[in-house]
């Protein structure tokens, strides 16, 4: 047979984060006691009231197709959340509920990118940005954003084919929060060169230090900002697959055709859980935030004390991104093989991520302490 699958899938880069999670799962199934510091999946049991809301909806027969954009109740709750947190007013008709932030990202790019278009993507940055651009026929153009967004670098990267920029604040893997001045600079450039902005704020509820500014709060670019958000990280709901896309006014109708022909809709009972979660925001979000903050501080101090590791506490989220004095992929392999601690090599996130490790403090406190003990005892691999 000469038939082969399309390059669209054959040429796609695997997700380094998902593959590591599967590796850990397989090692555990084989009896190894691996401590996972590799996946951004909070060890939070979804609050019982959220689970009860889904159960109620299921028992009430919410088991049919629903509106492709999402239930009215959840879209209204999302619009209210946006008004409160970003100050941007959204008509619920401009909100599309998606299976996680990942599909909100893909939906944005499906809507924006023509074959051959270029999209500026942050490096180091989340592993799915480039593949999602490629799935839409676009070409990702990497933009270094390790510790600042440099207007000269953007100016140098922009071409007549630039269709969009992806910004992630707070950022995975660094935890960096983009300051208002940088958002404004990107907003100016987007207007001047006429490209879309995808603003991924899935860690926006986990800002520990300082203010958090959002792109959709800048009125001059409200007509070109696609906001990607998710309940995964905020509420410990990764497995529920629940996120949203907030669109510029009036753009939802054509985009919804993509939803109609792909997922159609999210389960109603999952969305009922989402409404309940958002109603509990003031109670739950600060509790989870404090939990991660305490772990970040403790773990950063212990890592920083290890020779060859330099670790600071990030402004947000639940990742540490220490610089290591050894090749990062070797360190990650050494820790996994020798002491059963899984961490992500920073080079998985591209560019200047190399030379770092990403450690997610999303396991239990006891496991985190045990992992840190093992790391402190072993240290970095000796130079070859
Ligand atoms: N954006 C970033 C930066 C992420 O790290 C993640 C993590 N998976 C997502 C979006 C999407 O998360 P989810 O699909 O679980 O909402
Ligand atoms: N975003 C999380 C991470 O970076 C979950 C895995 C994924 O979706 O990539 O670990």
């Amino acid at each position: 047979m000469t038939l082969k699958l399309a390059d669209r899938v054959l040429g796609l880069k695997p997700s380094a984060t998902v593959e590591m999670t599967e590796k850990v799962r397989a090692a555990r199934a084989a009896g190894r006691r691996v401590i996972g510091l590799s996946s951004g999946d909070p060890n939070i049991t979804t609050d019982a009231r959220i689970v009860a809301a889904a159960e109620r909806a299921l028992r009430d027969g919410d088991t049919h197709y629903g509106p492709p954009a999402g239930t009215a109740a959840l879209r209204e709750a999302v619009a209210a959340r946006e008004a409160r947190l970003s100050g941007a007013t959204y008509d619920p008709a401009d909100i599309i509920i998606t299976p996680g932030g990942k599909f909100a990202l893909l939906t944005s790019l499906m809507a924006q990118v023509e074959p051959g278009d270029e999209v500026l993507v942050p490096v180091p940055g989340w592993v799915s940005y480039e593949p999602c651009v490629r799935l839409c026929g676009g070409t990702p153009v990497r933009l270094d954003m390790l510790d600042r967004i440099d207007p000269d670098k953007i100016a140098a990267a922009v071409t007549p084919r630039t269709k969009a920029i992806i910004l992630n604040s707070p950022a995975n893997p660094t935890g960096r929060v983009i300051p208002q001045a940088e958002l404004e600079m990107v907003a100016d450039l987007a207007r001047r060169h006429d490209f879309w902005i995808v603003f991924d704020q899935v860690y926006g509820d986990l800002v520990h230090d300082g203010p958090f500014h959002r792109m959709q709060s800048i009125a001059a670019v409200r007509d070109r900002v696609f906001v990607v958000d998710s309940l995964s990280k905020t509420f410990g709901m990764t497995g529920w697959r629940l996120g949203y896309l907030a669109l510029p006014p009036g753009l939802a109708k054509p985009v919804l055709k993509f939803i109609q022909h792909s997922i159609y809709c999210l389960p109603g009972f999952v969305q009922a859980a989402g409404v309940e979660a958002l109603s509990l925001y003031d109670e739950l979000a600060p509790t989870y935030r404090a939990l991660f903050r305490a772990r970040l501080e403790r773990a950063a101090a212990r890592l920083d004390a290890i020779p060859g590791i330099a670790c600071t506490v990030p402004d947000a989220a639940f990742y540490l991104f220490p610089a290591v004095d050894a090749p990062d992929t070797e360190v990650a392999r050494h820790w996994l093989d020798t002491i059963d601690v899984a961490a992500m090599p920073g080079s998985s996130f591209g560019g200047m991520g190399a030379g770092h490790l990403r450690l997610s403090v999303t396991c239990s406190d006891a496991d985190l302490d045990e992992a840190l003990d093992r790391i402190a005892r072993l240290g970095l691999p000796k130079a070859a």
Side-chain angles (χ1 to χ4, degrees):
M1 180 166 100
T2 53
L3 265 181
K4 70 171 185 66
L5 294 175
D7 282 341
R8 191 182 303 115
V9 290
L10 290 181
L12 206 58
K13 199 171 161 193
S15 163
T17 47
V18 174
E19 293 224 323
M20 180 61 97
T21 301
E22 292 313 303
K23 203 168 167 180
V24 170
R25 206 189 302 281
R28 284 179 182 156
R32 278 169 62 187
R33 200 186 160 277
V34 178
I35 301 180
L37 304 181
S38 50
S39 177
D41 189 352
N43 70 323
I44 293 169
T45 305
T46 307
D47 188 274
R49 289 162 291 181
I50 301 175
V51 176
E55 282 174 348
R56 260 194 320 274
L58 270 172
R59 278 201 214 94
D60 289 349
D62 197 346
T63 54
H64 295 271
Y65 292 132
T71 62
L74 185 53
R75 279 183 289 142
E76 276 159 25
V78 166
R81 160 184 166 84
E82 277 298 327
R84 183 180 158 199
L85 298 179
S86 71
T89 47
Y90 282 93
D91 187 318
D94 295 320
I95 308 291
I96 299 178
I97 307 301
T98 57
K102 199 173 293 204
F103 204 78
L105 169 75
L106 184 64
T107 304
S108 306
L109 296 166
M110 278 298 238
Q112 298 165 345
V113 176
E114 305 279 6
D117 282 347
E118 293 170 1
V119 177
L120 303 175
V121 298
V123 288
W126 181 40
V127 296
S128 287
Y129 291 138
E130 291 190 23
C132 283
V133 171
R134 290 196 193 281
L135 278 172
C136 299
T139 305
V141 174
R142 297 173 183 174
L143 206 58
D144 171 30
M145 295 190 199
L146 180 69
D147 46 21
R148 67 184 274 256
I149 307 177
D150 181 344
D152 294 338
K153 284 191 181 153
I154 300 190
V158 168
T159 75
R161 309 217 69 158
T162 306
K163 189 52 77 67
I165 187 170
I166 298 174
L167 290 187
N168 176 210
S169 182
N172 178 4
T174 59
R176 178 171 193 260
V177 176
I178 302 177
Q180 175 73 3
E182 287 181 21
L183 291 181
E184 282 172 9
M185 177 269 289
V186 174
D188 282 349
L189 285 166
R191 292 179 71 205
R192 193 153 4 116
H193 298 282
D194 206 20
F195 53 77
W196 302 105
I197 301 168
V198 180
F199 187 68
D200 178 345
Q201 58 177 22
V202 307
Y203 297 100
D205 296 314
L206 294 173
V207 176
H208 306 298
D209 233 1
F212 174 46
H213 301 287
R214 301 167 195 253
M215 196 51 114
Q216 67 274 32
S217 314
I218 301 177
V221 286
R222 265 290 269 116
D223 58 349
R224 63 178 71 238
V225 178
F226 285 54
V227 177
V228 167
D229 207 345
S230 168
L231 276 69
S232 286
K233 316 291 175 176
T234 306
F235 295 102
M237 291 182 75
T238 53
W240 293 78
R241 308 312 297 132
L242 189 53
Y244 68 85
L245 176 61
L247 293 123
L251 294 195
K253 200 168 170 210
V255 179
L256 276 169
K257 288 183 284 181
F258 169 60
I259 302 287
Q260 289 176 1
H261 289 301
S262 54
I263 58 158
Y264 184 170
C265 62
L266 254 78
F269 55 91
V270 169
Q271 298 183 73
V275 172
E276 181 71 16
L278 292 177
S279 79
L280 295 170
Y281 180 83
D282 285 340
E283 177 191 330
L284 297 181
T287 314
Y288 299 149
R289 196 185 303 131
L291 179 86
F292 294 127
R293 168 73 187 219
R295 282 185 198 158
L296 286 171
E297 285 180 354
R298 203 170 73 245
R302 289 204 56 193
L303 286 168
D304 197 53
I306 298 172
I309 302 183
C311 191
T312 54
V313 183
D315 294 334
F318 40 56
Y319 301 117
L320 290 167
F321 201 58
V324 287
D325 240 355
D328 54 302
T329 47
E330 263 179 52
V331 180
R333 197 178 314 118
H334 188 56
W335 288 358
L336 185 58
D337 293 347
T338 319
I339 51 171
D340 281 341
V341 171
M344 289 303 301
S347 49
S348 305
F349 304 92
M352 289 163 75
H356 296 77
L357 287 183
R358 193 195 74 173
L359 295 95
S360 182
V361 298
T362 44
C363 57
S364 70
D365 287 316
D367 275 357
L368 182 60
D369 286 338
E370 169 67 26
L372 292 166
D373 287 345
R374 293 185 197 174
I375 292 171
R377 276 197 300 268
L378 184 71
L380 299 178
K382 304 278 168 287

